[in-house]
Amino acid sequence: MSARGPLMNTYNRAPITIVSGHGCTLVDSEGRQYLDFIAGIAVCALGHAHPAIAQAVEDQARRLVHASNLYAQEPSGTLAHELVRRSGMNAAFFCNSGSEANEAAIKLARKWAFRRNEPRRTTILACTGSFHGRTLGALAATDNARYREGFAPLPAGFAFVRFNDAADVHRKVDDRVAAVLVEPVQGESGVHPAEAEFLRAARAACDERGALLIFDEIQCGMGRIGPLFAFQRFGVRPDVLTMAKALANGLPIGVMLAGDRAAGAFEPGDHGSTFGGSPVPAAAALAHLRVRDELDLETRVLERSSLLFEKLRDLAARHASVLGAPRGIGLLAGIPVNDPCDAKAIQAAARERGLLLGTAGGNTLRIAPPLIVSEEEVARGVALLDEAISATFG
Ligand code: PLP
């Protein structure tokens, strides 16, 4: 039997089998070590096999794994308190993934409008270039023809505003719009940060026309761009925000947080999840928050980010025929690769040299290391990328 097992053909998997990890290093079944510059696609913020996460998982698994949402649970109650306190929101709904968190947000926005006697206010206005997940509602809010193809009919009631176009958002938010849904940093489309002006325009349009503003912080939240919540860096407060990925450093959990306007829109029976807020992932998420505070990860991310972008700009200048100008914020970087060069060829060459990278839309290399990455690891990663580019296109 092999780890490559009879899995459905949903991923172009690399020809290696990962068996373990520690810190920013992953190890394959041949014993080869890789510097991990993608962290499970912006998931493992504290790196791999972090002792505090392992301990929290073990302790919780010995105490309680599941009792259901029919009862108040710990530690998800404490986790909800922590997330609400740190975000200034009012209430949390736990689920198991990013797509599910966005489904919850879409449903919440519609129920909120319905309860205000505005049943015609149903449209979810997402952004061009968006990615919100693969479930049908989240896919309907995702502006990528490749992901949508073959899945029609998608749910109705979704429209798109041009990302970073303040005038367009002013034009398109009307009395049919229940919510504007925005990624403060678009990850899958190739790492495109929102302009603060666009987010402010979306906020103002929602306030003027009575819609909710939802931020999808699934990839850019949990400290990826510095502060715990991405909105704190942009200075624009949403009514609802979704997070998943890094929340429990790799265990499956998602959350929707809602502020005072919408937090009361759901009543028993409106929404639910058997595993949502399950004790083991919730314990891991609490451990993650504790370690984040102890390490002052916000400051570290901002410091490492400066170093990373300095080195990436230098790299791009030295390989100007292959790479465009790096984009991004915090420890989320995208480097556009010039056609006819191929980001996937660089990714493969980097892997052969012991560096794991991601790719994203628009022929882009994506870099999202664990947030604990050291200065030495930043330097080593960029040097390996340099070698990989020289070897592929030199
Ligand atoms: N939203 C954003 C911004 C994402 O980056 C992702 C995943 O990449 C999702 C939603 C979907 O999350 P999941 O794969 O956990 O369903």
Side-chain angles (χ1 to χ4, degrees):
M1 284 210 284
S2 96
R4 309 202 71 76
L7 295 165
M8 279 211 189
N9 192 22
T10 51
Y11 284 88
N12 284 317
R13 292 188 170 84
I16 55 174
T17 301
I18 301 295
V19 292
S20 66
H22 51 274
C24 296
T25 302
L26 282 171
V27 183
D28 75 9
S29 52
E30 313 286 303
R32 280 204 66 192
Q33 299 208 350
Y34 301 85
L35 178 57
D36 184 6
F37 258 33
I38 190 62
I41 320 183
V43 167
C44 302
L46 302 182
H48 303 285
H50 193 285
I53 300 287
Q55 191 66 55
V57 167
E58 183 188 336
D59 291 350
Q60 187 59 48
R62 290 183 186 284
R63 191 174 310 122
L64 179 72
V65 170
H66 184 80
S68 90
N69 279 306
L70 298 176
Y71 314 100
Q73 295 191 60
E74 279 299 0
S76 65
T78 305
L79 179 61
H81 271 297
E82 275 300 312
L83 294 172
V84 159
R85 180 178 71 75
R86 291 167 188 242
S87 62
M89 293 286 180
N90 289 42
F93 171 83
F94 288 116
C95 51
N96 313 286
S97 69
S99 301
E100 279 179 65
N102 286 334
E103 294 289 337
I106 292 164
K107 283 183 70 179
L108 186 80
R110 289 192 174 156
K111 204 49 173 272
W112 169 79
F114 178 83
R115 287 202 194 290
R116 288 157 45 102
N117 282 328
E118 290 194 277
R120 282 162 43 87
R121 191 183 275 285
T122 54
T123 301
I124 305 298
L125 192 58
C127 295
T128 55
S130 61
F131 180 83
H132 296 293
R134 311 281 192 156
T135 52
L136 287 172
L139 190 58
T142 291
D143 176 38
N144 184 324
R146 160 80 188 79
Y147 298 150
R148 296 161 68 105
E149 190 182 50
F151 296 112
L154 292 176
F158 291 81
F160 293 90
V161 59
R162 276 198 300 279
F163 185 58
N164 277 341
D165 185 334
D168 204 34
V169 79
H170 265 298
R171 214 170 13 248
K172 292 204 173 128
V173 180
D174 60 19
D175 62 1
R176 302 294 296 263
V177 172
V180 175
L181 173 58
V182 190
E183 292 158 86
V185 185
Q186 291 190 338
E188 298 303 305
S189 74
V191 187
H192 296 96
E195 286 160 14
E197 190 204 338
F198 174 69
L199 298 180
R200 281 196 294 271
R203 177 71 277 172
C206 288
D207 289 343
E208 279 165 28
R209 323 269 164 75
L212 295 177
L213 180 61
I214 305 173
F215 280 0
D216 175 342
E217 298 201 2
I218 285 156
Q219 187 161 156
C220 63
M222 268 323 269
R224 173 66 42 199
I225 67 167
L228 183 59
F229 300 99
F231 81 83
Q232 293 166 327
R233 178 131 187 208
F234 288 96
V236 175
R237 172 173 285 277
D239 299 296
V240 177
L241 81 81
T242 54
M243 285 203 315
K245 284 194 180 279
L247 180 51
N249 205 57
L251 282 91
I253 188 169
V255 69
M256 168 180 67
L257 296 167
D260 51 6
R261 285 178 84 196
F266 278 162
E267 288 180 352
D270 280 344
H271 200 50
S273 164
T274 293
F275 291 124
S278 219
V280 175
L286 272 177
H288 183 178
L289 289 175
R290 197 184 66 242
V291 173
R292 199 190 137 70
D293 293 345
E294 284 164 9
L295 297 179
D296 187 10
L297 269 191
E298 177 167 349
T299 308
R300 281 178 61 150
V301 165
L302 298 177
E303 285 170 6
R304 294 297 181 275
S305 169
S306 306
L307 180 67
L308 175 68
F309 278 95
E310 188 187 306
K311 290 193 173 296
L312 290 181
R313 278 192 289 270
D314 180 55
L315 179 81
R318 275 182 290 108
H319 294 281
S321 61
V322 180
L323 302 179
R327 295 184 292 259
I329 180 168
L331 285 175
L332 185 55
I335 319 172
V337 176
N338 301 329
D339 292 334
C341 306
D342 180 9
K344 293 210 184 299
I346 299 174
Q347 182 189 36
R351 189 177 62 242
E352 281 159 19
R353 285 163 181 77
L355 174 70
L356 300 182
L357 301 167
T359 58
N363 200 20
T364 305
L365 290 169
R366 178 168 30 173
I367 293 179
L371 306 185
I372 54 159
V373 68
S374 68
E375 288 181 5
E376 182 277 323
E377 285 163 331
V378 169
R380 181 151 49 94
V382 178
L384 287 169
L385 180 54
D386 197 345
E387 276 177 35
I389 295 167
S390 299
T392 315
F393 302 110

